[in-house]
Amino acid sequence: MSDAAALPGQPRGFVVSGPATERAVNVLAPNPSAMTLDGTNTWLLSEPGSGLAVVVDPGPLDEGHLRHVVDTAEKLGKRIALTLLTHGHPDHAEGAGRFAELTGTAVRALDPALRLGDEGLGAGDVVTVGGLELRVVPTPGHTSDSLSFHLPADRAVLTGDTVLGRGTTMVAHPDGRLGDYLDSLRRLRSLTVDDGVHTVLPGHGPVLEDAQGAVEFYLAHRASRLAQVETAVGAGHRTAAEVVAHVYADVDRSLWPAAELSVRAQLEYLRERGLI
């Protein structure tokens, strides 16, 4: 058995539904897969003593899951007052419309196409509900519309798919761009250094207790993969598929399509900088 404290980011262990911090409760969606890990983490956030709650990423269009999120809030004596999205991928956002019907809430997101209501989300926005404060942090790269949410009272950050609780994420080329992703990781690192963030509440996988360690691991991993891709191209592997077969030979083949998206993003990044 692995020692969690020795793993990048110090994962808490198994992914479970239930309290994660003083203000955050996870409701795990029943959609496990190679891409979604244990399933989508739907986050229920509320200030202690408040009767209002915010939900981040209601998840897939699964009626049982959506109702379970509502039931969880009600058992805690909370009324869901707002829904937020980290990004528009279906495993995070497909259920948002139905969830809005169940809760009567607006849905706020960076992408106007995902919003239900007049308000969106953007850099520097501060969302306050029932005394709870969430600061919007733009973290494009996985997708162009990716956001993270800084929860200062818990010294935590909700990262969607930008940082996962286990493994690494993909850059969903062409919408996702590697340069943007690296900038986003540096932005998250600044939260750990300057704002004291130590906990990552990810969109998939277990809670991470060492946010700075997780982000540093991601940055080092990206630098290593870039070097491998550059070397592979120099050795004559020209197409994204060829590079994947060479660089990701030790990765489960079911993940190669996602790896190819990341490789396309890496090739674009290297070409833009005249490195290949």
Side-chain angles (χ1 to χ4, degrees):
M1 181 177 292
S2 298
D3 179 2
L7 296 173
Q10 296 180 20
R12 191 170 288 179
F14 296 106
V15 182
V16 295
S17 291
T21 68
E22 187 176 8
R23 292 164 180 80
V25 173
N26 183 26
V27 184
L28 181 63
N31 62 332
S33 72
M35 290 295 293
T36 61
L37 305 181
D38 308 85
T40 301
N41 294 329
T42 293
W43 291 105
L44 179 67
L45 309 175
S46 183
E47 191 68 17
S50 171
L52 300 178
V54 175
V55 164
V56 176
D57 289 351
L61 184 55
D62 181 299
E63 187 75 11
H65 171 64
L66 300 177
R67 289 188 179 275
H68 183 42
V69 176
V70 175
D71 290 344
T72 300
E74 291 178 348
K75 288 177 182 177
L76 294 171
K78 313 287 186 181
R79 177 177 66 82
I80 298 168
L82 182 63
T83 302
L84 305 177
L85 298 177
T86 60
H87 65 296
H89 279 167
D91 56 312
H92 293 257
E94 186 183 34
R98 176 58 180 150
F99 192 69
E101 293 176 356
L102 291 172
T103 59
T105 61
V107 177
R108 295 181 63 181
L110 178 62
D111 185 349
L114 299 171
R115 300 173 190 167
L116 293 173
D118 296 330
E119 289 189 282
L121 291 170
D125 285 351
V126 178
V127 177
T128 56
V129 173
L132 181 81
E133 178 183 296
L134 286 172
R135 300 174 184 173
V136 179
V137 182
T139 48
H142 170 67
T143 60
S144 61
D145 69 329
S146 288
L147 299 172
S148 294
F149 297 102
H150 177 199
L151 179 56
D154 281 349
R155 297 173 63 193
V157 61
L158 291 86
T159 53
D161 282 356
T162 299
V163 173
L164 304 179
R166 185 171 65 249
T168 56
T169 196
M170 69 170 180
V171 178
H173 184 270
D175 179 54
R177 294 175 57 84
L178 182 57
D180 291 341
Y181 186 64
L182 294 174
D183 287 343
S184 294
L185 291 177
R186 297 183 188 108
R187 193 170 297 120
L188 290 174
R189 182 172 58 187
S190 293
L191 285 182
T192 71
V193 173
D194 300 331
D195 295 277
V197 166
H198 62 66
T199 302
V200 173
L201 305 176
H204 305 279
V207 172
L208 299 177
E209 303 283 10
D210 176 16
Q212 185 173 352
V215 174
E216 294 288 1
F217 169 76
Y218 266 58
L219 284 165
H221 172 77
R222 283 296 165 195
S224 176
R225 282 300 193 206
L226 268 175
Q228 290 175 319
V229 169
E230 187 175 356
T231 298
V233 172
H237 302 284
R238 298 295 179 179
T239 69
E242 289 171 348
V243 172
V244 168
H246 181 74
V247 172
Y248 291 80
D250 59 339
V251 174
D252 187 331
R253 282 177 172 262
S254 69
L255 297 175
W256 279 18
E260 185 168 332
L261 294 179
S262 284
V263 165
R264 290 181 184 278
Q266 290 171 86
L267 291 171
E268 179 182 68
Y269 180 89
L270 292 168
R271 290 189 187 106
E272 288 174 347
R273 285 152 182 79
L275 298 174
I276 58 172

